[in-house]
């Protein structure tokens, strides 16, 4: 029996057991593998056990008592995922979102995602039509799809195995690409842009990298089963990659108060997720929002029109006025040029 077959049979035996399995019983079930001398059999089993633990299999050894005997047992609560218990409508939404990601052509773990979609279709109890939607990735040009997709797969595997990567990165701040060694902590997709977050050995500390700007990528292949780094317990992707234009970390967060009227008042929760909303009556709503990039908020507010007003603080109000004046002047100059022509 080869090792892979033995590992799978060992997993099946342990999952099927209703009480701890002793070392003697394991040797009886695998006489050709764990037979022979005691030392050789124990070394082989220790290697198999180490691989199971590395794969995340929650195998433990328990000391017996009056109610049960010594032996190996699986923590079933840790092994089996809890039931999702989704409604048919929720399954349909999840299926549509997954299908859109798959259709984009630029999504890591594509095989796993496709397998998950087949499972959703099975549990839905009916044939689900393939949605005619796709996730738009504005930063990825048509000719970059295969290249970015391949690099995402490499980075996905590197994040999972915790192996450092070497990248050639074309930053818009520098004329030439720079070579970086990065410990990849995680990948995030925000507003059509894939971002890698990790520890940069060149600059020091955590940095973010847009995957479509990676020109070359090499994953450390030495000691593939040994992690090169540990991700800090307090690390969070949300702290480094912005969901919304006003969340980029350009300055210390400030609380900005917006006054929304007209149709914007009823859409406040969707326009500004996470904001504290205060209905004022007569079609008015106040939204209090933590902002770490005033320019991003100002641009977004201007795009909403006159029904979105910045109430405070004054720094946010003045930034919005400056930006509005600059936009108005640019349009005025363009109009004057057309009239003159």
């Amino acid at each position: 029996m080869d090792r892979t077959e033995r590992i799978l049979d060992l997993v099946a035996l342990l999952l099927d057991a209703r009480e701890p399995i002793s070392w003697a019983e394991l040797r009886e079930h695998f006489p050709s593998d764990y037979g022979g001398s005691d030392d050789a059999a124990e070394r082989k089993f220790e290697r198999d056990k180490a691989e199971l633990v590395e794969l995340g299999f929650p195998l433990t050894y328990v000391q017996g008592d009056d109610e049960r005997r010594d032996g190996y047992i699986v923590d079933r609560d840790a092994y089996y995922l809890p039931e999702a218990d989704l409604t048919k409508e929720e399954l349909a939404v999840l299926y549509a979102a997954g299908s859109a990601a798959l259709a984009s052509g630029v999504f890591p773990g594509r095989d796993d995602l496709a397998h998950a979609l087949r499972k959703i279709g099975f549990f839905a109890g009916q044939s689900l039509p393939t949605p005619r939607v796709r996730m738009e990735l504005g930063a990825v040009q048509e000719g970059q799809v295969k290249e970015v997709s391949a690099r995402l797969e490499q980075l996905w595997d590197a994040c999972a195995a915790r192996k450092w990567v070497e990248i050639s990165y074309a930053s818009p701040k520098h004329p030439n690409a720079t070579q970086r060694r990065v410990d990849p902590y995680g990948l995030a997709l925000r507003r059509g842009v894939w971002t890698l977050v990790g520890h940069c050995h060149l600059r020091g500390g955590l940095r973010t990298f847009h995957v479509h700007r990676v020109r070359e990528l090499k994953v450390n292949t030495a000691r593939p089963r040994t992690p090169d780094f540990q991700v800090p317990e307090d690390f969070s992707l949300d702290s480094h990659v912005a969901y919304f234009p006003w969340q980029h970390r350009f300055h210390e967060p400030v609380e900005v108060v917006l006054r929304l009227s007209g149709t914007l008042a009823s859409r406040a929760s969707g326009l500004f997720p996470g904001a504290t909303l205060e209905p004022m009556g007569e079609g008015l709503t106040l939204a209090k929002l933590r902002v770490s990039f005033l320019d991003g908020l100002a641009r977004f507010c201007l795009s909403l029109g006159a029904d979105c007003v910045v109430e405070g603080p004054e720094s946010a109000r003045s930034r919005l006025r400056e930006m509005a004046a600059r936009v108005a002047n640019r349009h005025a100059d363009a109009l004057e040029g057309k009239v003159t022509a």
Side-chain angles (χ1 to χ4, degrees):
M1 182 185 298
D2 65 27
R3 190 180 187 191
T4 300
E5 185 179 353
R6 182 175 70 250
I7 292 289
L8 291 174
D9 287 349
L10 183 58
V11 168
L13 175 66
L14 291 164
L15 287 175
D16 192 52
R18 290 297 177 262
E19 57 184 9
I21 300 179
S22 67
W23 169 232
E25 288 176 308
L26 287 174
R27 296 192 71 174
E28 289 178 7
H29 280 91
F30 299 91
S32 60
D33 296 287
Y34 300 145
S37 69
D38 290 344
D39 288 343
E42 286 181 7
R43 284 197 300 269
K44 181 179 285 188
F45 176 66
E46 287 299 321
R47 289 194 297 269
D48 291 346
K49 186 173 66 174
E51 181 162 347
L52 287 175
V53 172
E54 184 179 344
L55 292 170
F57 192 73
L59 178 63
T60 57
Y61 185 84
V62 296
Q63 294 290 341
D65 52 30
D66 293 338
E67 297 182 358
R68 64 179 179 179
R69 59 188 179 182
D70 296 352
Y72 292 94
I73 193 169
V74 176
D75 183 348
R76 296 176 180 276
D77 291 337
Y79 180 76
Y80 291 107
L81 292 174
E83 290 290 336
D85 196 25
L86 299 176
T87 66
K88 289 186 177 181
E89 291 77 11
E90 290 169 332
L91 284 173
V93 171
L94 188 59
Y95 189 82
S99 297
L102 200 60
S104 72
V106 185
F107 202 88
R110 288 176 53 82
D111 292 341
D112 294 334
L113 178 57
H115 184 58
L117 290 175
R118 288 193 293 270
K119 282 188 174 181
I120 291 175
F122 174 79
F123 285 109
Q126 58 184 353
S127 177
L128 294 175
T130 301
R132 294 184 178 181
V133 293
R134 61 174 290 173
M135 185 171 57
E136 292 299 329
L137 301 173
V140 180
Q141 303 299 319
E142 191 67 30
Q144 287 185 297
V145 171
K146 289 185 178 180
E147 178 182 319
V148 174
S149 179
R151 285 176 183 153
L152 278 171
E153 292 290 347
Q154 288 180 285
L155 290 170
W156 179 266
D157 292 339
C159 289
R162 299 197 297 278
K163 304 299 290 184
W164 57 258
V165 299
E166 286 183 351
I167 63 174
S168 176
Y169 189 69
S171 169
K173 298 179 180 178
H174 303 283
N176 300 315
T178 56
Q179 301 300 313
R180 313 285 186 98
R181 177 171 165 175
V182 180
D183 297 339
Y185 288 0
L187 288 164
L189 176 62
R190 301 289 189 268
R191 304 176 73 83
V193 177
W194 278 105
T195 301
L196 169 69
V197 183
H199 176 82
C200 178
H201 291 259
L202 176 65
R203 305 300 185 197
L206 285 176
R207 293 291 187 271
T208 59
F209 305 92
H210 289 173
V211 176
H212 67 276
R213 291 187 178 139
V214 175
R215 298 295 176 255
E216 295 179 6
L217 171 64
K218 179 183 177 182
V219 180
N220 178 31
T221 56
R223 303 176 67 191
R225 298 194 178 192
T226 303
D228 295 331
F229 59 89
Q230 293 295 328
V231 179
E233 292 184 2
D234 60 351
F235 170 73
S236 170
L237 281 171
D238 289 343
S239 300
H240 300 277
V241 186
Y243 270 101
F244 303 102
W246 56 85
Q247 291 180 328
H248 293 285
R249 297 176 300 124
F250 283 93
H251 54 67
E252 289 299 314
V254 296
E255 184 178 85
V256 176
V257 180
L258 307 174
R259 186 178 79 245
L260 305 174
S261 58
T263 58
L264 298 185
S266 60
R267 297 168 52 204
S269 61
L271 291 170
F272 300 99
T276 301
L277 304 180
E278 184 180 344
M280 303 298 292
E282 298 182 358
L284 296 176
T285 295
L286 288 184
K288 297 179 181 179
L289 191 67
R290 282 178 63 83
V291 175
S292 53
F293 185 35
L294 287 175
D295 281 8
L297 178 68
R299 293 190 189 99
F300 188 72
C301 289
L302 286 174
S303 72
L304 296 177
D307 287 342
C308 179
V309 177
V310 177
E311 292 283 287
E314 182 55 36
S315 58
R317 288 173 56 84
S318 62
R319 193 72 195 95
L320 182 68
R321 286 195 296 266
E322 292 171 8
M323 190 172 291
R326 192 163 64 246
V327 172
N329 290 337
R330 183 171 298 178
H331 282 281
D333 292 342
L335 181 61
E336 183 178 348
K338 287 183 179 181
V339 172
T340 302

